[in-house]
Amino acid sequence: MTWGLDVDADEAADQLTTFHAAGGTLIDTADVYQDGHAEELLGALLTHHIPRDEIILATKAAARRKPGPFGGGASRGSLLSALDDSLRRLGTDHIDLWQVQAWDPAVPLDETLAALDTAVATGRVRYTGIANYTGWQTATAAAHQHHHPLRTPLISTQVEYSLLERGTEREVIPAAAHHGLGILAWAPLGRGVLTGKYRNATPPDSRGATTHLSGYVEHHRTERAARIVQALLTAAEGLNTSPAQVALAWIRDRPGVTAPVLGARTTTQLKTALTAEDLTLPPAIRAALDDISAPQLGYPENH
């Protein structure tokens, strides 16, 4: 998300090669990130550092805005125009996973989903998904595609999901499970808060100290978050590991989660995050984290 702004080309190259060497395969971006520059940077790196066929390349459309009648939104014209632009910036002839980044109430759903069908039928896209849809939107879109044999089924949904953000468990995750969509969890570290580094102050070299992302981080600096972070720190101390690793192991093993989507600022942070793959949380610690972070469910979810 911040490649081309907080993460320069050299650091991005280090992150990509580190991720690839560790066995990582899925790289997720979006046409709106840094006004397209993140895609351009990733495309250049795939050309010179990592073989394209060893990466599952995912990007998103619908949130970008630019001049002209097809400058944004989820209409057929806007989406297909955005796709061509993404292919050009990424320097590739196809996207492995193309996702509609936001529901567009101004466009009929059938028009939006028909654009995905066209993208797949023309070979420019291999698989399709959605992002940031509510529960009813997820179910409606997935059912629309799955109930029509000539339509392209949705395979994934990307939503914010972490110990600090479990609201998706009310309806989005059950809807995804019912319709067979994999879940890509963005901000699995609670926008950085679950690392514990924001407990007492904002580190001057952190994203929380920047003008463009301070509000993004502050969203999760609440009293409830402080209690969850303290529990996470206690668990990490008992396991002789970091709170970030514990948080990532927790989200990795949640029902329906295909993978957490990492957005590291530095290669060191990325390496720390990747070691979470070797961590298995004891049932007692998992249960304690489940309890302290549990979302409040009312009628009809708990009926």
Side-chain angles (χ1 to χ4, degrees), residues 32-45:
V32 74
Y33 296 163
Q34 315 316 320
D35 198 27
H37 187 48
E39 285 186 330
E40 290 177 343
L41 177 53
L42 176 56
L45 294 178

Side-chain angles (χ1 to χ4, degrees), residues 119-145:
V120 172
T122 56
R124 289 176 285 176
V125 167
R126 299 293 187 259
Y127 298 93
T128 61
I130 53 178
N132 306 306
Y133 275 37
T134 64
W136 74 265
Q137 292 167 352
T138 300
T140 302
H144 185 283
Q145 295 299 86

Side-chain angles (χ1 to χ4, degrees), residues 10-228:
D10 290 338
E11 178 64 32
D14 287 343
Q15 289 188 20
L16 183 61
T17 54
T18 296
F19 182 65
H20 180 258
T25 55
L26 175 66
I27 308 293
D28 178 71
T29 185
D31 63 353
V32 74
Y33 296 163
Q34 315 316 320
D35 198 27
H37 187 48
E39 285 186 330
E40 290 177 343
L41 177 53
L42 176 56
L45 294 178
L46 290 176
T47 300
H48 300 293
H49 290 75
I50 303 297
R52 170 67 179 88
D53 60 0
E54 295 182 11
I55 290 297
I56 298 171
L57 182 58
T59 192
K60 300 181 286 291
R64 182 175 168 83
R65 293 292 185 271
K66 64 180 183 179
F70 301 122
S75 70
R76 178 187 179 92
S78 293
L79 287 175
L80 295 179
S81 175
L83 174 59
D84 289 339
D85 288 343
S86 287
L87 290 171
R88 173 179 51 79
R89 287 190 292 265
L90 289 164
T92 185
D93 63 356
H94 72 279
I95 304 298
D96 296 303
L97 174 61
W98 193 43
Q99 304 150 98
V100 182
Q101 192 168 4
W103 177 276
D104 190 340
V107 176
L109 178 62
D110 185 68
E111 180 179 342
T112 295
L113 297 177
L116 303 187
D117 298 334
T118 299
V120 172
T122 56
R124 289 176 285 176
V125 167
R126 299 293 187 259
Y127 298 93
T128 61
I130 53 178
N132 306 306
Y133 275 37
T134 64
W136 74 265
Q137 292 167 352
T138 300
T140 302
H144 185 283
Q145 295 299 86
H146 282 285
H147 292 167
H148 293 78
L150 299 181
R151 305 300 292 257
T152 300
L154 300 174
I155 68 161
S156 65
T157 181
Q158 189 172 155
V159 291
E160 182 173 5
Y161 191 17
S162 72
L163 280 163
L164 298 185
E165 181 51 83
R166 294 179 61 184
T168 51
E169 292 179 11
R170 297 186 181 94
E171 294 189 350
V172 175
I173 290 176
H178 180 75
H179 290 284
L181 275 64
I183 297 165
L184 297 173
W186 65 263
L189 292 176
R191 311 187 185 195
V193 174
L194 290 173
T195 64
K197 64 185 176 185
Y198 293 106
R199 278 185 303 156
N200 302 316
T202 300
D205 62 343
S206 68
R207 286 175 174 167
T210 64
T211 56
H212 55 281
L213 285 177
S214 59
Y216 176 80
V217 174
E218 286 295 326
H219 175 79
H220 282 316
R221 295 182 73 177
T222 63
E223 291 184 5
R224 174 180 176 272
R227 293 192 296 271
I228 295 172

